[in-house]
Every structure is written in C-alpha cells, then in structure tokens.
Amino acid sequence: MNEQSLSGNRMSLAARARRERLKFRWYGVLAVEWFGYLRRRRAFRAAARSTTVHHINKPIGHRTRHTFQIADDKVLSTHQMELRWKIVASLYPKKLASLLDIGCCRGWFIFKAAMLPECEAALGVDVVPEFIDAANEAKRVLKLDKAQFEYAVLSDLERNRHKYRLPYQTLLLINTYHYMYWGSEYCPTHWPDHDYLLRTLASMCTDRMLLMSPLEINECPSDIAARAREHPDWAQQYTSLKFFDIASRYFDVSLERYLGVRPLYLMKKR
C-alpha cells in the first residue's frame, strides 16, 4: 500500500474505509483485552503476596501509564501499556531476534522482548536520565542481562555503533519521531530533516521499524506548534505527505493497526 495516498486530500475512499475499520478494531481489542488484563492482575497480586513488590515508577508523576511492578520474575504494567505491547508485538517478525526502542521511557517494551528466549539483545534509549535510572533498577531486579539502557540521542547511536551494538532487527519509535524533528524540553538537540532522520533510522535496523507519532503540526503538542510558528520553513516540511514521500526511499510503509487515536505504521526496510 502506498501510504502517501493515506494523507490529506489524496486519501482514497478505500483507504479512508480501511482506517475506520482499523480504528473500530482498536476499540474492540480494548474491550476484550480488559478482561484478560483483570485476570493477569489478579494472578500477579496473588503471587505478590508472598514476595517483595518493586514499583518502577520514578520519576513520580511523569508518564504514569508507563509504570510497572515486579514480583520475582513476574511483571505487570498498566492496562494501557499491556494493550500497547500486545498490539505492537503483533507486528514483530515471527522470531524477534533483537529490538531497539528509541524513546523507551522506563523500558517496558525492552523487558517484554528480553524475556523472550529467541531475543538475543534489546536496547532502550531515552533523553530523560530518570527514566533510564528506573529501567536499570528494573533490569537489576529482573536480572535480565540481555536488556541494555542508555541515556543517548540519535547522533550518539550513529557515532558509536559498536557501543550500542547496532544494527537491530526491529526498531520501535513510539510517540518519539516528532520530538526528534522538533526537539523537546528534555532534549534541545533535534534534526528538522526527514531524509537524515529516516536514512539514519533505516541504518539502525535490518528488518523493520514500527512507528506511531503525529505527522502533522496540528496533531503535535502545543510546544511544538509554538516552534513551528517560529520556524515556518521547518513546518512547511513537517507533513505526512512529505514524511511518506521520503520514507519510501528507505522503507515500504503500511498502516497496520491503531494505538488509541494514532495510526501504527509497519515500515519494512527496503
């Protein structure tokens, strides 16, 4: 499927209908999975009665849905994160050999990957030091040597590929791309250049990238909208049409699922 046809006025009726079906599917999965989550939560709480429970939630009050708990070798996150993992993992290769998560927060996706026997390496990077500290605390508790966490930005990975064991089979970029393009309060370093970003990301995976991120200015947080007003030349380039046009140089892109209101794209490396 040509994802360029899924944006703006060029979106076909068939593409619009497919999007609506995928959105409806999200709500169906949300309802069904809630009952499964309740069962897992009851089982976790039962197991936790006889052991110490570690709460991975620092810094307190930041991204509260990304928190999780550990009891021995069992982990439980919030319903939203458990559901996100289930949907994202459905787009992994049949055998997940290695995973890189850029913008990993407290490392939930990395831990779930590292627990798979076939996954040989899993790296999570983030620009918030407290998130990396929390992830490393969880790694210590779980004794998962395959999981690695680093405070780093994209150019750090690019400059020291050996240290970060690049490339990885699968790359996750969940709600992160717009910050890489525009910067954030946590990281002023940014790259308002789709070609650089997508070319560099493609060099860091061997099979696929999974991406969920706002690709239009009016979908981005208000701080990014303010930057866009200050830099109209960058804003002119930050459209989904431009993104998909450049992405097609490096990936075959398809819309596969939804995470809440946002589309989740499968980007198979060319």
Side-chain angles (χ1 to χ4, degrees):
M1 181 184 297
N2 181 358
E3 286 301 316
Q4 195 171 353
S5 68
L6 298 184
S7 304
N9 296 328
R10 299 181 61 181
M11 186 186 295
S12 68
L13 288 176
R16 289 179 187 274
R18 183 170 184 270
R19 282 201 167 200
E20 291 305 313
R21 288 197 302 272
L22 290 173
K23 288 179 182 179
F24 181 78
R25 185 181 182 186
W26 157 262
Y27 291 110
V29 172
L30 182 67
V32 171
E33 176 58 21
W34 173 245
F35 295 101
Y37 178 75
L38 291 178
R39 289 193 297 271
R40 292 194 301 276
R41 188 172 67 180
R42 283 196 299 269
F44 180 88
R45 288 177 174 175
R49 292 191 192 108
S50 58
T51 188
T52 301
V53 177
H54 299 267
H55 297 270
I56 307 302
N57 56 7
K58 296 176 182 177
I60 302 293
H62 291 263
R63 296 189 186 177
T64 54
R65 62 175 173 252
H66 290 255
T67 63
F68 57 99
Q69 302 171 69
I70 303 171
D72 289 336
D73 59 348
K74 298 177 178 60
V75 294
L76 181 76
S77 188
T78 61
H79 174 236
Q80 186 175 39
M81 286 306 295
E82 295 252 356
L83 179 59
R84 280 191 173 199
W85 169 79
K86 185 173 184 178
I87 290 176
V88 169
S90 72
L91 300 182
Y92 287 165
K94 187 174 182 180
K95 180 180 179 180
L96 182 66
S98 60
L99 181 70
L100 168 61
D101 185 359
I102 299 179
C104 69
C105 197
R106 298 179 182 90
W108 177 249
F109 289 106
I110 292 300
F111 287 119
K112 295 291 283 186
M115 289 175 177
L116 298 173
E118 66 269 22
C119 184
E120 299 174 357
L123 169 65
V125 300
D126 206 288
V127 297
V128 181
E130 293 84 358
F131 287 155
I132 297 301
D133 291 342
N136 278 320
E137 177 189 355
K139 173 183 174 177
R140 177 186 60 79
V141 173
L142 289 166
K143 299 181 174 64
L144 277 176
D145 293 336
K146 288 190 295 183
Q148 177 186 355
F149 297 97
E150 299 285 349
Y151 172 76
V153 299
L154 186 68
S155 52
D156 295 327
L157 302 179
E158 186 181 28
R159 283 194 297 264
N160 200 337
R161 297 175 67 89
H162 177 74
K163 172 184 176 180
Y164 299 108
R165 300 182 290 178
L166 294 167
Y168 288 76
Q169 178 202 43
T170 301
L171 193 162
L172 291 186
L173 206 62
I174 305 298
N175 211 30
T176 302
Y177 184 84
H178 54 302
Y179 292 120
M180 297 170 74
Y181 188 100
W182 290 102
S184 71
E185 62 176 306
Y186 298 106
C187 181
T189 304
H190 65 111
W191 305 268
D193 181 342
H194 288 304
D195 188 74
Y196 167 76
L197 287 172
L198 290 161
R199 172 169 32 91
T200 303
L201 291 166
S203 77
M204 295 180 179
C205 62
T206 60
D207 183 86
R208 68 189 61 190
M209 178 168 74
L210 305 180
L211 179 139
M212 186 275 286
S213 202
L215 297 173
E216 299 284 349
I217 297 297
N218 62 1
E219 299 172 351
C220 290
S222 58
D223 58 330
I224 287 179
R227 291 191 191 95
R229 289 191 292 271
E230 296 172 359
H231 300 280
D233 52 333
W234 299 349
Q236 187 177 15
Q237 299 299 312
Y238 199 81
T239 68
S240 51
L241 281 174
K242 190 68 174 178
F243 174 87
F244 289 126
D245 179 54
I246 296 175
S248 66
R249 302 172 188 174
Y250 308 104
F251 299 96
D252 291 320
V253 185
S254 61
L255 170 58
E256 294 295 332
R257 302 292 295 270
Y258 265 76
L259 289 180
V261 299
R262 299 214 181 278
L264 175 64
Y265 295 101
L266 170 61
M267 305 177 66
K268 295 291 295 291
K269 189 171 176 180
R270 286 182 174 271

